[in-house]
Amino acid sequence: MKKYIIFAFACLFGATATQAQDEVETTVEADVVSNYVWRGLEMGQASLQPTLGVSYKGFSLSAWGSVGLTNADDNREIDLTLGYTTGGLNIGITDYWMTDGLDPENRYLRYNAHSTNHVFEANIGYDFGPLSLQWYTNFAGADGLTSKGKRAYSSYVEANVPFKLGGCDWLATLGAVPHTTTYYETDGFCVNNISLRADRDIKITDSFSIPVFGQIAVNPSSEHAYFVFGFKLKAF
C-alpha cells in the first residue's frame, strides 16, 4: 500500500510540475535602436538592448540591458525588474544600474548609499483599456537632488493611449515630472515627454517577420526632439 501511495504522490507532483512548467513564459529578445531615448532624455546613440525574462501567474522577473554600438563612451546599463500584474493593476520594483553614477570604478556589487551606481524605483499603474496610467518613484540609491541638495525621491508619471491605424499599432505618450530633481534635469513640475510610436511587422517569408518601430519624441522641458527607429530580434 505504501508503494502505491508514494507512486500516487509522485504522479501528482509530476503532473503539477508539468502544468507549472507549461504556465511559465520565457522571453528572450533584443532591440536594436538608432538612439536610446528614455522618458524624454537621450541616454545614448545606436544601441543593442537585450531582454531576458520569465513570468508565472501574474508575477514576472526580467533583466534588460543596453550597450552602445557606435559610441564607446555610451553608458552600459543593466536593469532588473520584479513585477506583479492582476487585471489592469500592475506594481513593480526596478534596480537600475549604469556606468554613470557615484562610483567611478563602476562596480556592480557596490550598494553603499553614497557611492553606488544603482537606483531603485517603485512603480504602480492601471490599464483601463483605452488609457493606461503609470507612476514611478525612486526610493534608494543614486537618486537626484532637490534645489536644497536633499534626496528628491524623483518621480515620473505617464499616460499612454494605444490605437490602431494604417496596419500599425500606435502608442501616444504624455509624461511629466512633478517636482524639482537633478535626476530628470527638471526645475519644478514640467512635461518632459510627448511621443508617438508606431509598430509593425515586416514580412520576410511566410514563416518569418521582423517587428520594426518608429518613434518621434519631444521634451518640452529641454526643448529637444528625437526620431528613433528600431527593430526586434526574438526567440520563439
Side-chain angles (χ1 to χ4, degrees), residues 130-181:
L131 169 70
S132 65
L133 298 174
Q134 202 76 28
W135 182 283
Y136 306 86
T137 295
N138 296 343
F139 63 88
D143 187 19
L145 302 176
T146 67
S147 57
K148 296 182 179 180
K150 302 295 185 179
R151 176 184 289 275
Y153 295 98
S154 306
S155 298
Y156 173 78
V157 60
E158 186 175 89
N160 292 286
V161 176
F163 61 97
K164 294 182 180 293
L165 180 66
C168 293
D169 293 321
W170 294 77
L171 184 68
T173 298
L174 177 64
V177 177
H179 52 72
T180 300
T181 171

Side-chain angles (χ1 to χ4, degrees), residues 47 135 224:
S47 302
W135 182 283
H224 291 162

Side-chain angles (χ1 to χ4, degrees), residues 47-69:
S47 302
L48 175 67
Q49 300 176 339
T51 299
L52 176 62
V54 293
S55 60
Y56 176 70
K57 291 188 174 181
F59 290 94
S60 62
L61 177 63
S62 65
W64 182 93
S66 183
V67 60
L69 294 175

